């Protein structure tokens, strides 16, 4: 071949182009325009996830372990970025608390070790019960913990052998997409299949409905308010519903009041009350109520006494009986400022004494406003707490040293999480024993979800052999 300068340049240009293709292959999906698991079309996203799940299921469990470890390793460098992005995009929450939420999610969401097998053996042989994947899971995620839920669901669902299609809240689009991209990066680093975790570039209720209807989606997991939980539960598919709560905290006369006050303010103000488990109302026995309020004030609570101002606050934060989005997850200081009260950064919670029928006590506000309802004694407190929890069976807290009251409260509240003598977040593994999750399934009964919640129980029977009893 005659290699003159022009030829050489053409060859070099061609080689550079091929090299670029190889480099970019890591970023772009080979079968479509998707990048890092983010698709334009819901149907294409689901088809790609289906393919990825087949590869994962055909691989060794070791690959799932590697992927989960890689998610933990990769995402731990992005906790601040995701926390900041979440707060700036949604306008809700506190960066430091969100960062901590990401850290515990990454460290304490169980992986493959959560899938325990079970065996029967005897004269008729050996039967093994195993936890097997569903296939492709459609996961609907909230605006209040967008990236935390995506990381938590991804770890548990991949550990159980599934691929995931995320349908995020449109108000947390950028945060959710960024999280899906980072998870894809982690899967790739571990040698896992591309598009194991996917989403779409324009999340909407329309697209979520499309996802729910797609026959390749074998399980639906909804983390959000009552509307979306109802919607997945009536889909005709296996569904996990993690819905709203209105967690009360009961304080009786035997409690360590100073500690109770501190824990309640800390739990209620954590991420500006966005977690569904956070203290939403205090039910206090009359004999200690004044002291409890005094101690809460010492720990960063601002007591609103003026009836007219309390009424004005009701008008500000509730619109037609629903929480006004512009105050959900906002700092107490900002809410008070709009009420005409200037306070410093040390104020994290707004307190107001109300009756049990007041909207502040009845509604899940998701903002650092904490009503205090007085009761004669602990027994009345249990009744009032039950009424305020509305039978959602979500979360409740109690501060007491009386074991009879602790037992009665725990039995009668029937909540998925019950925290005794600690802040609400102890219930999700922050300063309390147990794993972390941001999908707490009260309505469908899985409770604090983990890998095993996203797996099917299957029985494999070998007849007449292999028992060594
Ligand atoms: P939301 O119900 O507005 O949205 C949640 C998700 O559902 C979003 O992705 C949204 O796009 C989608 N959605 C809402 N209505 C829908 C419908 N009719 N059809 C299809 N999709 C629909 O909730 P939010 O404001 O983002 O989150 C706060 C709520 O979620 C609170 O009630 C909180 O208690 C609850 N929550 C519960 C848990 C839990 O683990 N139980 C965790 C986080 C949040």
């Amino acid at each position: 071949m005659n290699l003159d300068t022009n030829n050489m340049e053409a060859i070099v240009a061609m080689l550079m182009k091929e090299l670029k293709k190889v480099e970019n292959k890591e970023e772009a999906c080979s079968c479509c325009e998707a990048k890092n698991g983010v698709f334009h079309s819901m149907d294409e996203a689901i088809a790609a996830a289906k393919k990825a799940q087949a590869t994962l299921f055909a691989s060794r469990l070791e690959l799932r372990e590697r992927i989960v470890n890689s998610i933990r390793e990769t995402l731990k460098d992005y906790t601040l970025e995701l926390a900041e992005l979440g707060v700036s995009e949604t306008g809700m929450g506190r960066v430091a608390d969100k960062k901590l939420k990401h850290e515990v999610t990454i460290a304490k969401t169980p992986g493959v070790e959560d899938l325990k097998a079970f065996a029967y053996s005897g004269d008729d042989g050996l039967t093994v019960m195993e936890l097997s994947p569903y296939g492709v899971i459609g996961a609907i995620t909230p605006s209040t913990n967008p990236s935390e839920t995506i990381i938590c669901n991804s770890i548990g669902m991949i550990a159980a052998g599934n691929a995931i299609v995320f349908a995020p809240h449109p108000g947390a689009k950028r945060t959710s997409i960024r999280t899906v991209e980072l998870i894809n990066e982690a899967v790739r680093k571990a040698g896992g299949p591309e598009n194991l975790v996917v989403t779409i570039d324009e999340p909407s209720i329309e697209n979520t409905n499309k996802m729910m209807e797609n026959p390749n989606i074998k399980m639906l997991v909804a983390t959000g308010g009552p509307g979306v939980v109802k919607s997945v539960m009536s889909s005709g598919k296996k569904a996990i519903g993690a819905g709203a709560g209105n967690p009360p905290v009961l304080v009786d006369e035997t409690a360590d009041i100073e500690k109770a006050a501190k824990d309640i303010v800390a739990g209620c103000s954590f991420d500006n009350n966005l977690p569904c488990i956070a203290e939403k109302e205090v039910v206090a026995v009359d004999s200690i109520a004044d002291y409890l309020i005094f101690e809460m004030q010492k720990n960063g609570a601002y007591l609103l006494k003026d009836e007219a101002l309390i009424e004005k606050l009701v008008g500000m934060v509730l619109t037609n009986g629903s929480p006004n989005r512009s105050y959900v997850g906002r700092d107490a200081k900002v809410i008070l400022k709009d009420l005409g009260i200037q306070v410093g950064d040390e104020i994290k919670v707004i307190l107001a004494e109300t009756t049990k029928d007041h909207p502040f006590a009845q509604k899940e506000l998701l903002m650092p406003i904490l009503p205090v309802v007085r009761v004669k004694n602990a027994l009345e407190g249990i009744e009032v707490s039950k009424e305020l929890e509305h039978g959602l069976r979500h979360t409740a807290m109690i501060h007491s040293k009386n074991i009879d009251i602790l037992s009665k409260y725990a039995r009668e509240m029937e909540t998925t999480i019950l925290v005794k003598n600690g802040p609400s977040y102890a219930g999700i593994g922050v300063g309390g024993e147990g794993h972390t999750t941001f999908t707490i399934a009260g309505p469908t009964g899985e409770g604090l979800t983990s890998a095993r919640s996203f797996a099917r129980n299957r029985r494999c029977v070998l007849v007449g052999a292999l028992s060594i009893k």
Side-chain angles (χ1 to χ4, degrees):
M1 190 160 75
N2 182 15
L3 282 181
D4 62 21
T5 318
N6 283 347
N7 274 343
M8 287 283 280
E9 276 173 2
I11 289 167
V12 169
M14 204 175 72
L15 280 173
M16 292 299 289
K17 210 170 149 189
E18 286 304 311
L19 202 62
K20 209 156 186 76
K21 268 193 205 163
V22 173
E23 276 171 1
N24 288 345
K25 197 169 163 234
E26 290 202 335
E27 296 250 308
C29 172
S30 51
C31 61
C32 54
E33 288 304 304
K35 265 192 181 176
N36 265 337
V38 184
F39 288 71
H40 187 60
S41 135
M42 180 55 89
D43 289 340
E44 271 188 22
I46 295 171
K50 190 175 178 212
K51 203 170 138 204
Q53 197 272 332
T55 308
L56 185 72
F57 194 38
S59 308
R60 290 166 59 84
L61 285 176
E62 195 196 336
L63 175 62
R64 295 189 209 170
E65 274 167 6
R66 273 210 316 271
I67 294 173
V68 168
N69 288 339
S70 177
I71 294 176
R72 297 195 209 280
E73 276 303 304
T74 307
L75 273 287
K76 79 176 174 16
D77 293 336
Y78 292 91
T79 55
L80 181 61
E81 181 194 311
L82 291 174
E84 284 175 346
L85 186 56
V87 172
S88 73
E89 182 180 21
T90 65
M92 304 190 290
R94 286 173 170 266
V95 171
D97 295 343
K98 273 207 191 297
K99 184 174 185 300
L100 177 61
K101 282 162 79 184
H102 285 84
E103 286 163 2
V104 290
T105 305
I106 290 165
K108 295 186 81 173
T109 302
V112 180
E113 73 285 355
D114 197 47
L115 308 168
K116 300 263 189 287
F118 176 79
Y120 300 91
S121 73
D123 295 338
D124 288 333
L126 178 70
T127 292
V128 184
M129 303 290 301
E130 291 250 67
L131 291 168
S132 224
Y134 272 88
V136 184
I137 299 180
I140 303 163
T141 52
S143 56
T144 46
N145 320 307
S147 34
E148 301 90 311
T149 309
I150 291 179
I151 299 169
C152 175
N153 283 178
S154 295
I155 292 177
M157 291 172 186
I158 293 173
N162 305 286
I164 312 111
V165 179
F166 280 107
H169 194 290
K173 175 176 120 175
R174 281 188 292 124
T175 312
S176 306
I177 288 178
R178 175 73 177 136
T179 313
V180 167
E181 287 172 347
L182 288 170
I183 290 175
N184 272 279
E185 217 175 286
V187 173
R188 193 180 303 123
K189 273 195 236 163
E194 62 180 336
N195 300 319
L196 191 57
V197 174
V198 298
T199 191
I200 47 162
D201 54 14
E202 280 307 330
S204 64
I205 296 220
E206 223 171 47
N207 269 319
T208 304
N209 289 334
K210 222 176 183 182
M211 178 194 76
M212 290 199 260
E213 285 160 15
N214 190 302
N216 287 319
I217 298 286
K218 299 298 183 196
M219 177 192 235
L220 289 166
V221 178
T223 308
V228 70
V229 169
K230 188 167 172 218
S231 170
V232 296
M233 284 174 77
S234 42
S235 65
K237 294 187 180 187
K238 166 69 189 178
I240 292 183
N246 194 36
V249 49
L250 173 60
V251 187
D252 80 5
E253 68 285 4
T254 67
D256 176 342
I257 304 299
E258 290 86 354
K259 180 175 185 306
K262 205 169 164 196
D263 287 351
I264 295 169
V265 172
C268 171
S269 62
F270 187 58
D271 208 17
N272 281 343
N273 205 253
L274 288 178
C276 50
I277 58 160
E279 288 82 350
K280 301 280 188 286
E281 58 276 339
V282 180
V283 178
V285 169
D286 189 39
S287 58
I288 51 88
D290 288 335
Y291 186 45
L292 181 70
I293 291 172
F294 170 73
E295 281 295 316
M296 287 197 282
Q297 286 174 278
K298 268 171 54 182
N299 283 283
Y302 181 90
L303 179 63
L304 209 54
K305 288 189 194 150
D306 187 319
E307 281 303 322
L309 279 179
I310 295 174
E311 272 322 292
K312 188 177 168 195
L313 186 60
V314 172
M316 258 170 59
V317 302
L318 285 160
T319 313
N320 301 323
S322 296
N324 178 347
R325 274 264 183 216
S326 43
Y327 289 107
V328 169
R330 300 300 297 274
D331 292 351
K333 181 181 158 182
V334 172
I335 302 172
L336 283 169
K337 186 167 173 249
D338 286 2
L339 197 61
I341 299 169
Q342 305 286 341
V343 294
D345 288 332
E346 72 287 357
I347 295 298
K348 296 185 202 119
V349 166
I350 304 167
L351 284 182
E353 268 206 61
T354 70
T355 65
K356 68 180 168 61
D357 302 315
H358 192 275
F360 286 172
Q362 293 283 334
K363 304 273 178 191
E364 184 200 37
L365 293 179
L366 298 164
M367 49 187 95
I369 295 177
L370 193 60
V372 181
V373 178
R374 280 179 199 253
V375 287
K376 283 194 303 289
N377 54 40
L379 290 179
E380 191 197 349
I382 294 174
E383 288 313 308
V384 169
S385 300
K386 261 161 51 179
E387 197 181 321
L388 295 176
E389 213 273 326
H390 304 307
L392 294 165
R393 298 180 168 197
H394 198 298
T395 299
M397 274 61 64
I398 179 168
H399 291 266
S400 171
K401 296 261 171 77
N402 178 334
I403 55 168
D404 294 333
I405 292 298
L406 287 171
S407 308
K408 191 173 168 60
Y409 188 72
R411 284 185 73 84
E412 297 208 5
M413 289 307 291
E414 290 192 86
T415 48
T416 305
I417 298 180
L418 196 126
V419 180
K420 298 167 191 150
N421 299 327
S424 51
Y425 46 69
I428 53 164
V430 183
E433 291 299 326
H435 73 268
T436 295
T437 181
F438 278 93
T439 297
I440 298 147
T444 47
E446 291 77 8
L448 286 95
T449 57
S450 60
R452 72 181 77 169
S453 322
F454 310 120
R456 301 164 59 213
N457 251 301
R458 295 174 65 193
R459 176 186 276 204
C460 258
V461 183
L462 178 86
V463 179
L466 288 188
S467 167
I468 51 166
K469 259 185 190 156

